[in-house]
Amino acid sequence: MSVNAAQNLEDVQAAIAKACKIARRAPVDVTLIAISKTHPADEIMPLLDAGQRVFGENRVQEAQGKWPSLREDFDGVELHLVGQLQSNKAEDALALFDCIHSLDRPSLVKAIGKAQDKLGQRIPCFVQVNIGEEEQKGGCAIGDVPDLIAKARDADIPLAGLMCVPPFDIEPAPFFALLAKMADDNGLEGRSMGMSSDYPTAIMLGATHVRVGTALFGARDG
Ligand SMILES: *Cc1c(COP(=O)(O)O)cnc(C)c1O
């Protein structure tokens, strides 16, 4: 499928500006993360050419294959990991990414703590919350979030905020509101919430980072 990524980027930026206006927020307070998972470098380049610099991937290995060479051609790229992270990939993730959105369990706190000591490098992490309390979903159980935050702080992991992926196919607004409240209660500024189908709603409810794939790149194969 052929898509005009640069035009899509303009449309998404306009929708973000509109949502910010309605919510009386400043557009600079909302970071658009272009989720480029499954899309090859030649589909990502038009967005880089159009000035987009913040991207997200959900698999360490796929990102390792695509981004080192793109970074040689484009300055200022900021890469976010938005997918589940295995503990044995923590070091690879720290070496490649600028931010992790999927800190969701004590074993991963340990692995990231160890990796950052070894590499002498820290990157901001979002604690992912299983906001809909779904059996099969990634993310920390709501009741365990304060403890996980405390463990991350103990391990000297810089915490950016909270992240969620609400249940599919039902109104996401209550889940966004809950995540925002939890972030407030825990003294965290960042709220990584909102995807292609619901990012304007997420912005109204305080999203600081929206993760948009399909609306920029078109549908993913398979
Ligand atoms: C794929 C993905 C997105 C982007 O989803 P779209 O619906 O394509 O915008 C956002 N967040 C996470 C965690 C994802 O895995």
Side-chain angles (χ1 to χ4, degrees):
M1 188 169 70
S2 146
V3 290
N4 186 342
Q7 180 60 51
N8 291 347
L9 178 62
E10 269 187 43
D11 293 345
V12 170
Q13 284 168 338
I16 289 173
K18 187 177 164 199
C20 283
K21 194 167 178 212
I22 294 169
R24 300 189 182 201
R25 300 186 58 201
V28 294
D29 293 338
V30 179
T31 299
L32 169 62
I33 306 174
I35 306 295
S36 50
K37 65 187 184 197
T38 77
H39 298 286
D42 64 341
E43 290 179 26
I44 297 172
M45 265 187 264
L47 278 196
L48 284 158
D49 282 330
Q52 176 68 22
R53 284 296 179 272
V54 186
F55 289 84
E57 293 279 347
N58 70 336
R59 300 174 79 168
V60 175
Q61 207 175 345
E62 181 186 339
Q64 282 173 327
K66 288 193 294 203
W67 283 97
S69 67
L70 283 169
R71 272 179 160 155
E72 280 175 21
D73 295 335
F74 295 90
D75 283 336
V77 168
E78 196 182 300
L79 204 54
H80 293 238
L81 178 64
V82 300
Q84 280 228 353
L85 177 58
Q86 290 170 270
S87 294
N88 64 5
K89 297 252 174 75
E91 204 179 310
D92 288 343
L94 241 65
L96 180 66
F97 289 92
D98 301 292
C99 183
I100 292 171
H101 290 242
S102 48
L103 180 56
D104 63 354
R105 59 192 191 277
S107 60
L108 189 55
V109 166
K110 254 190 208 152
I112 290 175
K114 212 170 129 191
Q116 66 184 11
D117 287 345
K118 185 168 166 198
L119 298 176
Q121 171 187 342
R122 295 170 204 289
I123 64 173
C125 295
F126 286 84
V127 168
Q128 182 176 351
V129 182
N130 185 355
I131 202 78
E133 310 201 285
E134 293 172 281
E135 197 76 48
Q136 75 293 358
K137 255 291 170 50
C140 179
I142 289 173
D144 296 340
V145 166
D147 185 56
L148 189 63
I149 289 173
K151 284 189 164 75
R153 285 178 171 145
D154 278 348
D156 240 348
I157 296 172
L159 286 183
L162 300 182
M163 176 273 209
C164 74
V165 181
F168 183 65
D169 248 12
I170 63 172
E171 173 57 47
F175 299 103
F176 293 151
L178 178 57
L179 192 83
K181 169 81 166 66
M182 291 176 68
D184 275 347
D185 288 349
N186 287 283
L188 293 171
E189 201 148 307
R191 299 102 192 259
S192 169
M193 56 190 199
M195 314 190 348
S196 290
S197 58
D198 53 24
Y199 65 94
T201 304
I203 290 169
M204 312 260 187
L205 291 161
T208 59
H209 295 71
V210 292
R211 310 178 309 267
V212 179
T214 308
L216 293 171
F217 293 101
R220 289 178 289 272
D221 302 329

